[in-house]
Amino acid sequence: METGATPQVAVLDAGGQYCHLIARKVRELGVYAGVFASETPAGNLAACRGVIISGGPASVYDPDSPTVDPAIFRLDLPVLGICYGQQLMARLLGGTVERGEKGEYGLATLNGSRTAALLAGTPPEQQIWMSHRDTVAVLPPGFEAIGNTAVCRFAAIADPSRRLFGLQFHPEVVHTTHGRRILSNFLFDVCGCSRDWDPSHQVPLLEERIRQAAGDRNVFFFVSGGVDSTVAFTLCLRALGPERVRGVYVDTGLMREGETEFVTRLFDSLAPGIVSVERAQRRFLDPLACVCDPEQKRAIIGEGFVRVQESIIERRHLLDGHWILGQGTIYPDTIESGGTQKAAVIKTHHNRVPGIQRLMEANRVVEPLASFYKDEVRELGRGLELPEEFLERHPFPGPGLAIRCLCGSRSRKLEPAGEGFLVPVQSVGVQGDSRTYAPVLALDSFPSQAVQERAAELINRLPRINRVIARVESALPLGSLEVSRGGLSPERLERLRRADALIRRISHESGFDKQVWQFPVILLPLGSEGCPDSVVLRPVHSVDGMTAQSVLVEDTLLRRMADGLLGIEGIAGVFHDLTHKPPGTIEWE
Ligand code: XMP
């Protein structure tokens, strides 16, 4: 299905996470924005009312760094360059950019011009958020500075006659106090956009599109119990009625406690009996039993999904002409962008297995959410009266508990390392665009703000590690714990399931779950004779999973969680992960 309206604003993608955040903020202001590849030919953008060039991690000097079609500056369209976007614009229009000796990261104060249209309605001194190393050194002809900071001469620039603007800071992040107003000035005063976007008003339109796409055919879904596939399913149900919509939920045996029952109840409350459960535990658990390597685990699970889905497609004769496939694919998964969003790639994988690919080629797939962001999908879900407790669920990865249950291939002792111990269990991290896979440093200190700051320092200093955890409580002193051989056995999965359920219950009762974006609970083969495992708590704050901050659990609550966990059979220790992303990923594998 095509994306709905024609975007009034094109956001040119110079680096994944930044461009999506901008597009989301523009949409929040009621203007439909679309993300386009940075080099989209100017001719394709002529119908827009304005263009925004996003920030990105590259330097304009990097040989393969993203660029834009310079003809966009001759379209007589307003253009706003943000961060890297400003530098690129300056360079293409005849200015110069300098590689900074040192970056400027974090909060800064902008001294802005009182008369600049872009800054109208904002105070002359205002808090902004910077994240850059390079900076514009010489302005292109026609440009003037409309704002500076103590270290950046050209924090905001403009050529008002050509309606071209640049910001070195990020108006799209919450830390820029008046960022919303600045974007709104650009959209409404400079570009003359009108308000045309409100996700909750899209329901009737989406239903109509589903009816058109389906014609006289029925719709079939693989549902996961996640927000996207459930909202997409519910839309189809409303559009076509319960006789014409069916779904299957695949129980991989890697789900959380009570998940299958939860999903069954949820769909039964929508329309009884139209979603069935495919119990496929053996197909997943048997080949995973002795696997330690994260990539191998992911490959086995991906492959397992492919086989189960294809067998269902065949068994249910879904390739005959009466059926089309419904999917909960959302906007960031559908567009071609320069970003490297791992979760998106993995989801694409699940939504594009060969059988599904064949259906897509035959125009037999309906994806009603293809133009929506996650928070907009939640908004739609509210309009569809799906229960709030469901819409606010934290994200949960497709491979399930398998990538939270770490395995050990042999017994090993911990190695003393400065103020802690090196745990010979590896976890995945991310630095720049590269994946790291390195051991964890365990500190023998109760988690606190000071310990968290220390952890950040240690990761920067010690090249062998990519993650730091702090001991909350353990049955034996840290140095006496050992890593043991432990696979993905039903016994260990059950232990993790119980630990995860306990933490979910306590965070829900205390309201802590509302303070974090996601709260993975990890099982490590770190313990002692008869008590082989430890649990790591990984609460994080994030906007979209691309970057994340580790969030400290307050002392009393943390002790309550640890006491509960140590009461579970086989658990010898409880740790708190203090690592931000980067350098650690949210999931350990
Ligand atoms: P990482 O671990 O890469 O996770 O920092 C970022 C976000 O993506 C989720 N995640 C996945 N989601 N399939 C999914 O559907 C996957 O294979 C997968 N791996 C990670 C993770 O839970 C976090 O929200």
Side-chain angles (χ1 to χ4, degrees), residues 471-487:
R471 187 177 74 95
V472 182
E473 241 175 274
S474 56
L476 293 177
L478 181 54
S480 313
L481 298 180
E482 280 184 22
V483 166
S484 60
R485 229 177 100 85

Side-chain angles (χ1 to χ4, degrees), residues 210-229:
I210 291 167
R211 280 191 285 271
Q212 278 172 13
D216 57 1
R217 300 167 299 181
N218 301 330
V219 179
F220 181 83
F221 269 87
F222 290 105
V223 294
S224 69
V227 174
D228 305 340
S229 60

